[in-house]
Amino acid sequence: MIAFPVPATTTSRFAVAAERIPHDLPGLLRGAGGPYAAHIAGRLGSPHLEVVREDGARLRWDPARILAPRPEDRRRERAFRDAPEFAVVTACAPITDQPRAVQVARAAALHLAAATGGVPADLVTGHILTPPAEERTRFVLADQWLGDELPPFRANGRCTAPDPDRDPEGVNGCSCVRLRTRGLRRFGLPELQIGDVACPHDLAALNVLRTAARRLLTDHWSWLSTGPADRTREVDAALSLAESDFSDFWGTARRVHLVPPNPFQIRLALLTPRLLAVAPPDDITGTVNDWLCGDTLPLGMYDVLHSPADPPHSQAA
C-alpha cells in the first residue's frame, strides 16, 4: 500500500486573454446562458467562483508559459501571450465539490472568452483551451483536464538513437521520454509520471497514464463519497486497469476496444506526496520499454491518440 495526503480544498484558475476586458465581469457572467448559468450565478462572488480583471503589465503569473498543445492552435497561443488584458477565474472549493466546481469555473471562463473574443487557458495545465466553446454537461477527463500531450518525437532531433524504422528491434534504443500529468491535483490526487521511455513507445506510455488517471479518479470519488474522516488515503500499489477505464477516460459508452481486452497491471510508487510513478508490475522483467512493447499491454494502447466522446446531454448532472 502507498499513502498520500488528500487536501480539504483545491484551487483551479482559468484565464481569458483579450484586447479589451470589461470592468464589470460579474455583470457579464450573470448574463451567461447554458446549463451552467444557475451554478455560475449562485457561486459568483464566493471563493467557489471569483473573477478579476488583470492588466498584462502587472500580472503575477507569466503568459509566456501558457502553451498550445496542438500545432493548429499556435496562433491562439501567440494571441494569448501578446494580449494586453486578462480575466482570471478562480475556484477554491472543497474536494467533495469536484468536479462540479472546476466545471463551473471553466464554463465561466469559456463564456467570458466568447463574450470578449478572447482566448481561454487553463492555468493549472498551462494549456490554451481549444473548442468546443461550451463546457460539457458531464465530466470527461479527456476534455483537456489532464494536460496530457506527447513531447516532440525524437526529442526534436536531439535523440541520437537509431531511427526506429531502421532499427525495429531497438526496443531500448533511447530513454528520451518522460510524461507527467498536470491537473489531477485539483481533484485531490497526486500527479502521475512515467519515465525512461523510448521515443517509439511514447503513445503507449501516454495511454497507460491516461487509463491509470481515470481509474484512480473513479476510485477517489468513490472513496470521498463515504465521507472519510482521515485526510490520508491509502491505495494498493498494484493497480489493475481494464478496457472500461480506457473508455471512461474518453467519455464513451462505446468501448474503445483493446486487444486483448483483459485487464493489465501497473505498479504505483510514491515519489513525493504529490507525485506517483507508474511502472511495470513486479512480475515483469526488463525495462519499461520491454513492458510497453511486450504482450502484456493491450494493442489499442499503441494507436489511440484521440477518440470522440458521446454526444453531450442537455442538462448538467
Side-chain angles (χ1 to χ4, degrees):
M1 303 294 289
I2 56 177
F4 55 85
V6 178
T9 63
T10 59
T11 300
S12 286
R13 289 186 174 89
F14 303 91
V16 176
E19 288 297 317
R20 181 181 177 277
I21 297 292
H23 286 271
D24 186 15
L25 291 175
L28 191 58
L29 283 176
R30 290 190 185 97
Y36 287 96
H39 296 284
I40 291 173
R43 295 168 183 250
L44 197 57
S46 74
H48 295 188
L49 187 62
E50 295 181 332
V51 56
V52 296
R53 180 180 178 276
E54 295 188 357
D55 189 292
R58 293 187 293 271
L59 294 175
R60 291 175 293 176
W61 52 278
D62 186 1
R65 303 188 66 171
I66 305 301
L67 305 175
R70 306 187 312 173
E72 56 265 40
D73 290 325
R74 297 290 160 75
R75 181 183 60 82
R76 300 172 75 243
E77 176 188 293
R78 291 191 296 270
F80 186 92
R81 294 179 176 186
D82 296 339
E85 297 180 2
F86 295 85
V88 177
V89 179
T90 303
C92 182
I95 200 66
T96 51
D97 192 28
Q98 304 296 356
R100 173 55 52 78
V102 293
Q103 286 185 286
V104 173
R106 196 167 76 170
L110 293 176
H111 175 76
L112 292 177
T116 61
V119 179
D122 185 336
L123 299 188
V124 173
T125 65
H127 283 172
I128 299 293
L129 292 172
T130 57
E134 186 173 280
E135 183 65 29
R136 191 189 299 272
T137 54
R138 65 189 179 92
F139 181 81
V140 175
L141 188 56
D143 284 350
Q144 304 175 79
W145 290 112
L146 201 55
D148 57 331
E149 62 174 325
L150 289 175
F153 188 62
R154 308 296 291 168
N156 256 349
R158 294 189 298 273
C159 179
T160 58
D163 189 285
D165 291 337
R166 299 182 180 182
D167 184 24
E169 302 302 322
V171 173
N172 294 295
C174 67
S175 56
C176 291
V177 179
R178 185 185 69 178
L179 301 172
R180 181 182 294 183
T181 63
R182 288 172 297 178
L184 287 178
R185 68 187 189 195
R186 65 177 129 217
F187 306 118
L189 281 173
E191 302 294 346
L192 301 180
Q193 176 177 294
I194 187 169
D196 296 325
V197 175
C199 291
H201 315 310
D202 55 359
L203 181 54
L206 178 64
N207 280 328
V208 168
L209 280 193
R210 289 167 164 174
T211 311
R214 178 66 258 191
R215 174 58 188 274
L216 286 173
L217 198 52
T218 299
D219 292 348
H220 191 58
W221 284 333
S222 295
W223 178 79
L224 287 171
S225 70
T226 65
D230 192 358
R231 284 298 168 184
T232 298
R233 184 173 171 217
E234 289 189 343
V235 299
D236 199 323
L239 194 63
S240 178
L241 305 178
E243 184 179 73
S244 57
D245 299 314
F246 194 46
S247 294
D248 288 345
F249 170 81
W250 297 108
T252 178
R254 307 178 308 278
R255 293 307 177 198
V256 179
H257 293 297
L258 303 180
V259 182
N262 300 323
F264 64 99
Q265 306 290 323
I266 67 169
R267 177 172 51 84
L268 300 175
L270 192 68
L271 296 179
T272 75
R274 297 182 180 181
L275 183 63
L276 298 177
V278 173
D282 291 332
D283 60 352
I284 297 294
T285 59
T287 68
V288 65
N289 296 306
D290 294 322
W291 172 55
L292 290 172
C293 74
D295 57 5
T296 62
L297 203 67
L299 295 179
M301 292 289 173
Y302 299 95
D303 52 24
V304 180
L305 181 58
H306 301 289
S307 182
D310 290 340
H313 301 295
S314 58
Q315 298 295 325

